[in-house]
Amino acid sequence: MDFVSTRRPRPRSQQEFARAQQSIPGGVNSPARAFGAVGGTPVIIERGDGPYLYDVDGHRYIDFIGSWGPHILGHRYPAVIEAITRALDKGTSFGAPCPAEADLAELVIDAVPSIEQVRMVNSGTEAAMSALRAARGYTGRDVVIKFAGCYHGHVDALLVSAGSGALTLGHPSSPGIPKGCTADTLVLEYNDCQQLEEAFAARGSEIACAMLEPVVGNMGLVIPSKEFLTTLQSLCQRHGALLIFDEVMTGFRLAYGGAQSLFGITPDMTALGKIIGGGMPVAAYGGRREIMQKVSPAGPVYQAGTLSGNPIAMASGIATLKSLKQLNPYPRLAEVGDRVSAELSALASKHGLPHTVPHVGSMFTLFFNPEVVTGYRIATKSNTARFARYFHEMLDRGIYLACSQYEACFLSIAHTDQHISEMLTAADEAFAIIAKT
Ligand code: HOZ
């Protein structure tokens, strides 16, 4: 499946990747970025600026990943860089409370009304893991419902039929996880209301929580039906289980208040990540006060972290959220998302390529799959070889997309109409080549 780049040879990237493979497993610090599903070697990045990434070979790319979601303002957004620079002047980490932690917490609570209290952590994995523990501690129950193809980081109990890198690389459930850790995990198909009814009928009194991505980004973009979300919420309420939205991708992205405000569904708990840190390692989990009061030291559910609430990361998050609140970029981002989805789809049709291009706001995926992807079963029928070719043809034309069929792409306010037109022109050329192969 190796693709030889004719337009943008990357000898330095290849050298750097070969070097990294000696000291780092697979040469990367997170598997999703290893190009495992598309072949070839990753682009090694030197810097980012606005809508662009620059690689170590001197090539410029229009970036439609934005660090897998955080950079909704583009790279090096001035207000964020200024805030980080100011914070750096005061020191990098205190391991003690600082005012910025409450500043960011208040911004989150203001943005997401279902969150009455919030705890800062460092990664989406930690946020999901800690939310799950709090839900189990609060309810006194063990069973968790997750949905095939949703990805909640590499949490033991949730790394079953997982999306993102796990699905991309063909290991949706990982070795190294004791059977006991997943014995209480029920895996259901996304958007399948009948399975929900059956699971709650069989195990309702044991279910601590159901966790899901309210718009899935990690098996490609999958949109929930309204019926699915409302059925899940009412079953949780009826059986005393908590509804947890993993809004690591969708929080502050689909709306300032996340997918929950877009859909008008109020979860009991929410996991946040990515945009909340504006490109620094911040994530958070929160929810109703009575649930969060179970978290240590207010309550007995233990969770901790030396770098949690780190002052530099808080400064980055605060500047990002304040900028988003002030700019309200969501209507324009949604318009751009509409255009990208409609025009990509028209081009793929023009070249006779079976596809769908689901999108919500500024997230989208081009599936090489004629069926509407409603869940894992259909997602995995996509033509991944065709996606790999598309990915490399686009990369060769300076368009940096997510390197897997099972990821979403992200738009930012730095993308102008011109950038979108360049991307569509590249797609037209790429589709013409793919249609001939
Ligand atoms: N969790 C990210 C994609 N869904 C990938 C993170 C990374 O590789 O940087």
Side-chain angles (χ1 to χ4, degrees):
M1 197 196 288
D2 242 11
F3 178 92
V4 179
S5 174
T6 47
R7 298 159 179 247
R8 288 168 181 250
R10 300 192 302 271
R12 278 207 57 205
S13 272
Q14 283 165 352
Q15 279 163 20
E16 286 294 336
F17 186 58
R19 179 166 79 101
Q21 282 176 303
Q22 299 306 311
S23 53
I24 301 171
V28 290
N29 281 312
S30 186
R33 52 182 92 154
F35 280 30
V38 292
T41 54
V43 181
I44 307 297
I45 302 300
E46 186 160 271
R47 66 191 177 92
D49 194 16
Y52 301 117
L53 283 176
Y54 297 82
D55 71 15
V56 292
D57 289 286
H59 305 304
R60 188 179 84 175
Y61 303 85
I62 305 175
D63 178 16
F64 288 95
I65 308 180
S67 191
W68 300 92
H71 287 310
I72 191 169
L73 298 170
H75 294 271
R76 295 182 72 244
Y77 189 72
V80 176
I81 299 299
E82 280 160 28
I84 292 171
T85 310
R86 270 200 309 276
L88 270 173
D89 237 17
K90 297 183 183 168
T92 54
S93 177
F94 311 134
C98 65
E101 293 168 272
D103 291 343
L104 186 55
E106 286 163 10
L107 280 165
V108 171
I109 290 165
D110 168 62
V112 188
S114 70
I115 297 181
E116 294 173 346
Q117 287 206 314
V118 61
R119 167 63 59 83
M120 300 299 160
V121 291
N122 302 287
S123 71
T125 294
E126 265 185 86
M129 178 183 76
S130 309
L132 174 58
R133 184 177 300 157
R136 284 172 158 166
Y138 173 78
T139 58
R141 302 173 179 180
D142 290 341
V143 175
V144 51
I145 289 179
K146 84 159 294 255
F147 296 91
C150 282
Y151 178 71
H152 307 290
H154 51 279
V155 180
D156 277 357
L158 301 172
L159 201 58
V160 190
S161 297
S164 189
L167 180 54
T168 297
L169 301 171
H171 307 293
S173 306
S174 170
I177 297 177
K179 283 194 190 69
C181 288
T182 53
D184 291 312
T185 306
L186 301 180
V187 184
L188 308 182
E189 184 75 6
Y190 201 80
N191 271 323
D192 188 329
C193 293
Q194 196 185 327
Q195 277 194 7
L196 280 180
E197 301 275 4
E198 288 167 5
F200 274 95
R203 311 279 302 265
S205 62
E206 300 167 72
I207 297 172
C209 59
M211 188 182 294
L212 81 165
E213 298 178 73
V215 169
V216 190
N218 285 295
M219 55 177 148
L221 187 118
V222 177
I223 301 171
S225 72
K226 188 156 178 67
E227 187 198 359
F228 174 65
L229 290 182
T230 52
T231 303
L232 179 58
Q233 183 178 39
S234 71
L235 284 167
C236 283
Q237 282 168 353
R238 199 176 327 145
H239 292 271
L242 301 186
L243 176 61
I244 306 178
F245 272 13
D246 179 341
E247 296 231 41
V248 169
M249 275 191 185
T250 54
F252 310 105
R253 157 110 1 227
L254 301 186
Y256 190 58
Q260 55 194 271
S261 81
L262 195 67
F263 296 143
I265 301 263
T266 305
D268 300 291
M269 298 189 76
T270 302
L272 294 164
K274 300 196 189 273
I275 289 175
I276 191 178
M280 297 290 275
V282 184
Y285 66 103
R288 292 207 315 271
R289 180 179 297 271
E290 60 175 325
I291 303 168
M292 293 306 290
Q293 281 293 306
K294 296 288 180 204
V295 175
S296 185
V301 175
Y302 200 73
Q303 179 269 311
T306 299
L307 291 171
S308 296
N310 171 274
I312 313 302
M314 294 298 101
S316 175
I318 291 164
T320 301
L321 297 201
K322 282 187 173 168
S323 300
L324 286 172
K325 190 170 180 187
Q326 190 204 339
L327 295 170
N328 185 22
Y330 302 100
R332 179 180 176 270
L333 285 171
E335 273 173 33
V336 180
D338 289 347
R339 177 183 171 204
V340 166
S341 169
E343 295 194 24
L344 264 184
S345 182
L347 290 170
S349 296
K350 180 178 105 178
H351 292 285
L353 298 170
H355 70 281
T356 58
V357 193
H359 83 289
V360 179
S362 58
M363 291 171 70
F364 67 95
T365 295
L366 166 59
F367 282 108
F368 287 97
N369 185 337
E371 282 185 74
V372 174
V373 178
T374 53
Y376 185 88
R377 196 179 50 77
I378 301 177
T380 51
K381 289 199 244 168
S382 302
N383 187 335
T384 51
R386 189 163 268 180
F387 177 86
R389 184 66 196 253
Y390 164 70
F391 170 81
H392 279 293
E393 294 293 348
M394 294 295 272
L395 192 64
D396 219 20
R397 288 165 175 77
I399 308 296
Y400 192 75
L401 303 173
C403 53
S404 163
Q405 175 69 100
Y406 303 121
E407 296 284 356
C409 290
F410 299 96
L411 299 165
S412 80
I413 65 165
H415 292 123
T416 63
D417 289 346
Q418 179 59 31
H419 297 120
I420 302 301
S421 296
E422 284 179 41
M423 188 261 263
L424 293 166
T425 301
D428 195 15
E429 292 174 14
F431 293 156
I433 292 168
I434 295 165
K436 283 193 213 124
T437 53

